[in-house]
């Protein structure tokens, strides 16, 4: 799919043609310009040549059928992964990628392990959503939520991420409410600061994963550049400006960050208004093991006792490596 030439092709046409074209792509979700019968045959043929709508992707459905992973091929033959999660309460969430790979190299994350290839442009981000919108349309369903929790660090590709969000948010397009869009960051404070000035009602999530700098630096090298204190300062400022809740993500990794002492340190950080904690079970990527069920319960007990506001994330798509942190396109991997 490539709409870069759309404006050029429609240049000689009356202005309203542009609107018709974007409505065909974003609302009617056409997959071939031949479906846009309000255009002349000649124009449709030119559009198909100059602005192809087909998306080249390989798709895997999990055994439980509630998550679908796709791997989209980009124009330079790199690939990017995204996942659709069908929640029981009716929400349909797409987890999108914003980079091919990631330069931050967190120890627990498969994307981090593959290194960094390049940023996605805003349309390559939108393409992932369109792919699943088309998929759901066949079942008369639509996407309700978007999370930037796929491959890459959104705040290292800030402009494209924000441009994509504004288009996804457009009432005359896919019309996905800003309140239903979440951005997760490893703690790039400049991004947090910029986002607070955007006047957008999107949700901010921060990957914390450790309650002190020593441990956090061990598993997230980016902590050397942006430590916990600096991140919390940026978050507090964000809350002051936006009055919005911030979600802190905390992976539970066996014998790494799941001790009682870690829970107690975490309590000290989390006891602030509009701070919200989301516990995530570690999805295996090789290096570490997930905490045992017993340990998770004990960890939660300490948080509960201290009155920390938290939830636990449901695990999607483990069998198709579509769970958080399992995104990675490996050269020698067999694709179905
Ligand atoms: N780069 C951003 C967004 C992408 S990662 C960030 O780090 O926040 C999205 C989420 O998946 C983050 O919370 C990340 O920490 C989490 N994650 C990474 N590896 C994981 C793993 N192996 N199991 C579970 N969650 C993981
Ligand atoms: Fe990058 Fe996020 Fe993975 Fe860390 S957890 S390597 S920041 S994608």
């Amino acid at each position: 799919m490539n709409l870069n030439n759309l404006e050029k092709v429609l240049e000689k046409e009356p202005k309203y043609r542009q609107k018709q074209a974007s409505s065909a792509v974003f609302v009617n979700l056409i997959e071939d310009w031949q479906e846009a019968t309000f255009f002349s045959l000649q124009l449709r043929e030119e559009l198909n040549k100059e602005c192809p709508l087909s998306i080249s992707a390989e798709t895997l459905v999990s055994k439980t059928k509630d998550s679908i992973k796709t791997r989209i091929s980009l124009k330079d033959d790199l690939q990017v992964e995204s996942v659709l999660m069908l929640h029981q309460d009716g929400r349909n969430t797409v987890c999108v990628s914003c980079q091919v790979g990631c330069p931050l190299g967190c120890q627990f994350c498969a994307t981090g392990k593959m290194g960094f290839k390049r940023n996605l442009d805003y349309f390559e981000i939108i393409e992932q959503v369109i792919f699943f919108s088309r998929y759901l349309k066949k079942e008369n369903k639509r996407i309700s939520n978007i999370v930037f929790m796929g491959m890459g660090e959104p705040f290292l590709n800030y402009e494209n991420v924000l441009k994509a969000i504004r288009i996804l948010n457009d009432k005359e397009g896919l019309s996905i409410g800003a309140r239903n869009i979440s951005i997760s960051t490893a703690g790039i404070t400049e991004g947090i600061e910029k986002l607070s000035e955007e006047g957008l009602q999107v949700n901010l999530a921060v990957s914390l994963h450790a309650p002190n700098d020593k441990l956090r630096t061990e598993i997230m090298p980016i902590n050397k550049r942006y430590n916990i204190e600096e991140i919390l300062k940026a978050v507090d400022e964000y809350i002051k400006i936006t009055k919005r809740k911030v979600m802190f993500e905390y992976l539970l990794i066996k014998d790494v960050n799941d001790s009682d002492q870690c829970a107690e340190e975490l309590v000290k950080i989390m006891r602030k208004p509009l701070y919200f904690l989301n516990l995530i079970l570690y999805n295996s990527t090789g290096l570490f093991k997930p905490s045992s069920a017993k340990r998770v319960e004990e960890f939660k007990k300490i948080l509960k006792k201290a009155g920390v506001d938290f939830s636990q994330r449901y695990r999607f798509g483990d069998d198709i490596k579509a769970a958080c942190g399992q995104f990675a396109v490996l050269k020698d991997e067999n694709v179905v």
Side-chain angles (χ1 to χ4, degrees), residues 102 104-106 108-109 111-112 150 152-153 186:
C102 179
L104 300 187
C106 301
F108 45 78
C109 174
T111 306
E153 167 53 47

Side-chain angles (χ1 to χ4, degrees), residues 19-54:
K19 224 173 187 168
Q20 279 182 316
S22 60
S23 167
V25 174
F26 294 113
V27 181
N28 302 329
L29 300 164
I30 61 166
E31 299 185 31
D32 185 315
W33 286 107
Q34 289 303 349
E35 294 173 56
T37 45
F38 41 81
F39 289 160
S40 69
L41 185 60
Q42 196 195 347
L43 182 56
R44 278 181 270 158
E45 277 168 3
E46 194 184 349
L47 283 166
N48 265 344
K49 204 165 123 244
E50 297 294 328
C51 314
L53 292 178
S54 63

Side-chain angles (χ1 to χ4, degrees), residues 69 106-111 113 251-254 280-291 315-328 330 333:
K69 169 163 114 167
C106 301
Q107 289 292 316
F108 45 78
C109 174
T111 306
K113 288 268 161 282
L251 273 173
L252 286 164
I253 312 175
K254 187 177 165 42
I280 310 169
L281 296 178
Y282 171 67
N283 296 311
S284 231
T285 57
L287 202 54
F288 303 112
K289 289 199 166 55
S291 305
R315 194 183 206 137
F316 275 99
D318 221 3
D319 60 325
I320 52 169
K321 294 222 181 304
C324 304
Q326 290 185 317
F327 285 15
L330 303 171
E333 198 180 356

